[in-house]
Amino acid sequence: MERKLMKGNEAVGEAAIAAGCRYFFGYPITPQNELPEYMARRLPEVGGTYLQAESEVSAINMVYGAAGAGARVMTSSSSPGISLKQEGLSYLAGAELPCVVVNMMRGGPGLGGIQPAQSDYFQATKGGGHGDYHLLVLAPAYVQELVDLVQEAFDLADKYRNPVMILGDGVLGQMMEPVAITKYIDPRDLPKKEWATTGASGRRPNLINSLYIDPVELAAHNRKLAAKYQRMCREEQRFQEYCLEDAETILVAYGVMARICRSVVDMARHSGLKWGLFRPISLYPFPGDALYDRAKEAGVRRVVTAELSCGQLIEDVRLALDGLVPTELLAYPGGLVPSPAEVFRQAKSERGALNGCSA
Amino acid sequence: MAVQHEKRVFGYPSSLTDAPFHYCPGCTHGIAHRLVAEAIDDLRLKEHTVGVASVGCSVFTYNYFNCDMQQASHGRAPAVATGIKRVSPETIVFTYQGDGDLASIGTAEIIHAAARGENITVIFINNTNFGMTGGQMAPTTLPGQKTTTTPLGRDVKKAGYPLRVCELLSALDGPAYLARVSLHSPKEVLRAKKAIRKAFETQVAGAGFSLVEVLSTCPTNWGLPPKKALEYLRDEVAKYYPLGEFRDGPREVEACSTR
Amino acid sequence: MLHQIVCAGFGGQGVMLLGQVLAYAGMLEGKEVSWYPSYGPEMRGGTANCTTVISDSVIGSPVVSNPTALIVMNQPSLEKFKDRVEPGGLLLYNSSLVSEYEPKSGIRAYPIDAGRVAAELGNPKVANIVVLGALLALAKPVTVSSAKKALEMVLPARRHHLLSLNYAALEKGVELVD
């Protein structure tokens, strides 16, 4: 299996092409620019289309049109640009259109900064735009995992007819790691989407729509969506465990923060502390059932959430644990990525030194 | 007496469904719908056409056009149409947008779709106000015109001047066909029909972006009976927004050296 | 075995490429590797740096605050990173541009006159590769032959006529500290 050293952002592009994506609508913003640049270069080679939109707003609406026309389609941005896409994401979810959206997070609010952050957790997992909806959110921590999850994201988007978000951060987008892409799908081999607007030749017209002016119909539509999200919660919870068998302290972290915490667990084990890591891979649905089961083990004394934000992930952790064990927060906002040594030192103290507002 | 074979000279366009229009009495949306449907029929495009509905009074166009449709968010129809067209260049893609949608919230999308020379057709209904929300000022509201948010008449010193969309877009190299028509008389309706047909033909030929601005009445929000509204359209609106073709055929622009 | 190597210098001194060659070479040897660059406005003419991690096992953090080896190609990078080197770590500096430096105890510091050596080889741009050679000889994160193979993969095809020059620079760097 040939491995190639690839930047996270570029690996997303190649993985999308391998998944049969041939349409990408982009707009520049740091730290994800290598992805649209890669697609602009690579898509024409495989008969695809890259188009630079005039704004993130326009890009997500081009995605809407292309998804409605039945294609596998992608757009990407970083935090401020993802805010601009929220209206479009609400419409995509409402009209039940599949697509993949990549957010390589940077610090906010406002223009914020350009260094890695995880402060869009709420926006990504709780809806983001208006209305009762969810994106399916996947948070890779390694470039190979990023590749695998991008490919899976297209399948999940089609399975649920729902937008899927790849929630990365500046580190994941900018870093290089060896990757192998083994499976390439020809988009012509994908199942035909009977609902797509391709011209009503020999059939009744199709409609892509999120407008239900009759409240009875809108309620029914919302119930149908809710049932879909419940099915996601049953079938799509993903996570990884590290050294949890006998853990007394469980660290919970995702993305790059989970890698840092993996190093922290190694440090802790080295000094005789029984620590382990629970890494959510799907953020919506949050793998709360598994976390509860692990925390229920007799030896578990506390659960420490570490995040590059001020207390967002910890809300889902607390909802999942429902008061089972004490929880603590280690918050690192603003683009300052902590070293494992720093996290280890702070996690060792009885209460995390950087407790955020919700701790 | 010998039996004469009847020749059908007028009928219901097959590109319209039989759903009754929800538009107010005297509103010219219905005429505009019919003209679009006739153009699609005449060019035999119905089975290859995807329409994009916008937000405004024409939000329900998907109930009336008998072809595949997508509903877009406010102002974004040209971006949605771009996505469809890029995936299926062989389909005929049109948007149907009002002036609140296209000339206010959607200015970025329309300007850039036009600048790209996106091979789509835009039907732009200009009735000088936000109709569906109750007759508020639109960018196209005439100087001095009363609306619910310009109760004393549009004061250009405070509310600024109207946008002339065809003139604005005619500054770009991208459009292949730009025309402004009005629906205030049968003669003008026939002219409008020709322009709309020409816009679709432009797309079929692959020539690039086409837009027809259709000056239209809004009797309810203008506070005028239908006949008076047509007169206002002729005497005031069509005076501020001159009729005619602003672009007829694609422009050739030479590329600069790569560097 | 865990090597955490930070390379820092001006944009244009090839520090990013240096880090990538290390990562590629590690990958060719079947090790786990990661490469993480600084990015954004600081890259536009300012100082640039990158972190390469080479490990026998799964790499935790790709972001490193205390490198096991530090390469600095200019004075501002020395000032920024010199105190972060892990105790027992290695500091190689381009003494053509960085003034003589007395390291704190427990750090092994080596001045490498890379600018001069590169100029003698006929191209001052390979100063980065001279320092890489010295690093390979001292820390042995990857073999010289892996680094040569990696250079071939990292340099774009249109630069392949410069491969022999780069190989020479690499070997010269090894000799400097042998």
Side-chain angles (χ1 to χ4, degrees):
Chain A
M1 188 167 67
E2 200 205 339
R3 295 201 302 169
K4 209 176 149 190
L5 198 63
M6 282 190 99
K7 227 176 192 201
N9 284 331
E10 299 192 333
V12 171
E14 192 59 31
I17 287 167
C21 170
R22 292 294 179 271
Y23 302 93
F24 187 97
F25 301 98
Y27 188 81
I29 184 171
T30 304
Q32 59 85 56
N33 293 316
E34 295 82 1
L35 173 50
E37 284 167 2
Y38 187 85
M39 292 310 235
R41 194 167 66 236
R42 185 79 173 91
L43 273 172
E45 294 175 1
V46 292
T49 296
Y50 166 83
L51 183 61
Q52 183 162 322
E54 64 271 21
S55 67
E56 287 94 343
V57 175
S58 192
I60 193 71
N61 283 283
M62 289 173 182
V63 166
Y64 181 103
R72 285 196 159 181
V73 55
M74 177 185 253
T75 186
S76 69
S77 192
S78 180
S79 307
I82 295 292
S83 289
L84 284 167
K85 291 186 192 293
Q86 292 305 321
E87 176 202 43
L89 286 167
S90 169
Y91 278 71
L92 280 151
E96 296 194 85
L97 290 176
C99 68
V100 177
V101 178
V102 178
N103 180 4
M104 291 299 179
M105 288 183 280
R106 53 186 254 187
L111 209 43
I114 58 165
Q115 295 306 315
Q118 297 182 324
S119 40
D120 302 345
Y121 180 90
F122 283 157
Q123 184 198 55
T125 59
K126 308 296 178 188
H130 62 283
D132 249 338
Y133 78 94
H134 286 282
L135 309 177
L136 206 156
V137 184
L138 302 173
Y142 303 85
V143 180
Q144 181 65 54
E145 189 181 44
L146 176 62
V147 163
D148 298 340
L149 288 180
V150 164
Q151 293 187 278
E152 201 172 349
F154 280 100
D155 292 337
L156 289 169
D158 284 344
K159 175 180 173 186
Y160 289 99
R161 282 189 63 181
N162 202 69
V164 177
M165 177 170 277
I166 298 290
L167 195 66
D169 53 65
V171 177
L172 192 64
Q174 292 295 322
M175 72 184 293
M176 287 177 115
E177 280 184 324
V179 294
I181 299 177
T182 48
K183 188 179 72 173
Y184 276 81
I185 293 171
D186 186 329
R188 287 166 300 192
D189 296 338
L190 291 165
K192 201 165 175 281
K193 295 169 179 171
E194 301 297 339
W195 45 263
T197 56
T198 52
S201 182
R203 59 160 169 80
R204 290 173 54 83
N206 284 337
L207 172 64
I208 304 294
N209 184 31
S210 64
L211 176 64
Y212 295 83
I213 205 80
D214 178 344
V216 174
E217 284 179 23
L218 183 59
H221 178 58
N222 270 277
R223 290 209 175 86
K224 181 183 164 212
L225 293 179
K228 181 161 85 174
Y229 304 135
Q230 280 160 13
R231 183 179 167 208
M232 284 180 195
C233 288
R234 283 194 307 274
E235 297 180 18
E236 311 300 343
Q237 294 188 24
R238 280 142 221 250
F239 58 92
Q240 195 185 46
E241 305 173 342
Y242 182 59
C243 298
L244 280 186
E245 316 72 50
D246 59 343
E248 292 172 355
T249 291
I250 298 180
L251 298 178
V252 182
Y254 70 96
V256 68
M257 198 60 214
R259 297 183 64 150
I260 293 165
C261 286
R262 188 186 165 104
S263 299
V264 172
V265 168
D266 289 342
M267 288 174 171
R269 292 273 164 182
H270 195 69
S271 40
L273 295 168
K274 289 179 177 173
W275 288 16
L277 171 67
F278 183 88
R279 176 169 76 92
I281 295 172
S282 62
L283 300 183
Y284 188 89
F286 186 77
D289 302 338
L291 177 60
Y292 185 89
D293 287 346
R294 302 310 174 273
K296 211 170 56 187
E297 296 295 321
V300 176
R301 285 198 303 115
R302 58 174 191 154
V303 171
V304 179
T305 303
E307 52 182 286
L308 300 179
S309 47
C310 269
Q312 301 193 30
L313 172 66
I314 195 171
E315 291 202 3
D316 277 339
V317 170
R318 285 180 173 154
L319 278 172
L321 295 178
D322 200 17
L324 184 68
V325 288
T327 57
E328 294 167 30
L329 171 67
L330 294 173
Y332 304 94
L336 287 172
V337 180
S339 67
E342 189 182 347
V343 177
F344 182 43
R345 184 170 50 76
Q346 283 156 353
K348 258 192 305 189
S349 72
E350 269 308 295
R351 303 269 317 159
L354 278 173
N355 277 349
C357 46
S358 60
Chain B
M1 203 168 74
V3 175
Q4 291 208 331
H5 287 286
E6 289 181 14
K7 189 180 161 207
R8 183 183 161 114
V9 293
F10 190 79
Y12 194 83
S14 72
S15 293
L16 284 182
T17 65
D18 53 10
F21 290 139
H22 70 284
Y23 300 111
C24 305
C27 167
T28 43
H29 257 308
I31 298 173
H33 276 42
R34 184 182 180 100
L35 297 181
V36 171
E38 284 177 351
I40 294 170
D41 279 3
D42 290 352
L43 299 170
R44 300 175 189 282
L45 300 175
K46 187 167 81 85
E47 297 193 332
H48 315 289
T49 295
V50 181
V52 183
S54 61
V55 172
C57 286
S58 56
V59 70
F60 293 118
T61 46
Y62 58 76
N63 286 332
Y64 309 132
F65 289 117
N66 197 12
C67 60
D68 276 3
M69 294 290 293
Q70 290 198 22
Q71 170 65 49
S73 60
H74 202 20
R76 321 298 178 214
V80 171
T82 298
I84 300 168
K85 190 71 180 182
R86 294 293 176 125
V87 169
S88 324
E90 69 287 354
T91 55
I92 298 301
V93 183
F94 77 94
T95 71
Y96 189 104
Q97 304 171 257
D99 45 358
D101 190 273
L102 181 144
S104 191
I105 196 167
T107 42
E109 282 76 10
I110 193 63
I111 286 173
H112 286 277
R116 284 193 303 270
E118 207 66 52
N119 194 29
I120 59 171
T121 298
V122 174
I123 307 299
F124 167 41
I125 307 297
N126 178 356
N127 62 9
T128 75
N129 77 106
F130 279 80
M132 185 181 69
T133 45
Q136 295 84 3
M137 185 188 81
T140 44
T141 294
L142 302 179
Q145 186 182 346
K146 281 187 183 174
T147 69
T148 57
T149 51
T150 53
L152 303 175
R154 180 175 187 163
D155 177 355
V156 294
K157 287 201 177 66
K158 288 176 185 157
Y161 293 87
L163 250 64
R164 290 192 180 94
V165 169
C166 279
E167 287 84 342
L168 204 65
L169 297 184
S170 65
L172 304 171
D173 290 327
Y177 183 71
L178 296 170
R180 184 183 288 125
V181 296
S182 177
L183 300 178
H184 63 252
S185 70
K187 191 174 126 197
E188 293 302 328
V189 170
L190 289 175
R191 279 192 175 145
K193 178 175 174 166
K194 268 188 199 154
I196 288 171
R197 185 184 161 120
K198 209 162 163 182
F200 277 98
E201 284 170 342
T202 300
Q203 184 180 170
V204 171
F209 182 85
S210 54
L211 176 144
V212 180
E213 176 174 346
V214 182
L215 302 183
S216 207
T217 61
C218 185
T220 299
N221 289 314
W222 289 356
L224 294 171
K227 192 161 175 290
K228 289 263 188 236
L230 287 171
E231 286 165 16
Y232 185 80
L233 186 63
R234 178 191 66 205
D235 298 337
E236 301 288 345
V237 183
K239 206 167 79 186
Y240 193 88
Y241 296 106
L243 308 182
E245 290 181 336
F246 291 78
R247 181 70 53 84
D248 188 9
R251 265 190 194 172
E252 293 298 327
V253 179
E254 223 176 288
C256 301
S257 80
T258 51
R259 213 166 23 223
Chain C
M1 189 273 302
L2 176 67
H3 293 276
Q4 298 173 313
I5 302 156
V6 169
C7 309
F10 287 128
Q13 283 186 305
V15 295
M16 296 299 185
L17 182 113
L18 206 173
Q20 283 184 16
V21 169
L22 279 166
Y24 234 116
M27 182 184 80
L28 292 174
E29 293 183 2
K31 291 166 179 156
E32 298 291 336
V33 297
S34 72
W35 173 89
Y36 176 59
S38 60
Y39 59 86
E42 64 175 326
M43 299 291 295
R44 307 275 178 256
T47 59
N49 71 79
C50 65
T51 305
T52 302
V53 181
I54 304 174
S55 172
D56 288 330
S57 54
V58 174
I59 293 172
S61 176
V63 184
V64 169
S65 26
N66 304 110
T68 56
L70 170 68
I71 289 175
V72 291
M73 296 299 289
N74 65 354
Q75 195 71 39
S77 298
L78 180 81
E79 304 306 330
K80 185 171 177 184
F81 290 105
K82 64 182 181 192
D83 294 332
R84 297 199 199 162
V85 181
E86 179 104 327
L90 195 62
L91 195 168
L92 305 186
Y93 60 99
N94 173 18
S95 58
S96 311
L97 286 177
V98 180
S99 49
E100 192 71 24
Y101 163 66
E102 190 60 45
K104 63 180 183 187
S105 69
I107 307 296
R108 293 176 293 149
Y110 292 82
I112 308 293
D113 203 355
R116 183 185 56 78
V117 172
E120 281 168 13
L121 286 168
N123 190 336
K125 284 193 163 177
V126 293
N128 57 338
I129 305 300
V130 173
V131 185
L132 173 62
L135 176 83
L136 297 189
L138 291 165
K140 301 191 167 49
V142 294
T143 66
V144 173
S145 84
S146 299
K148 284 183 176 173
K149 269 185 233 150
L151 267 166
E152 199 182 329
M153 307 186 82
V154 172
L155 285 176
R158 65 193 154 85
R159 298 250 183 271
H160 275 193
H161 63 284
L162 296 172
L163 273 175
S164 54
L165 171 67
N166 278 276
Y167 295 161
L170 200 62
E171 281 153 14
K172 206 79 191 164
V174 174
E175 285 168 25
L176 280 178
V177 294
D178 254 358

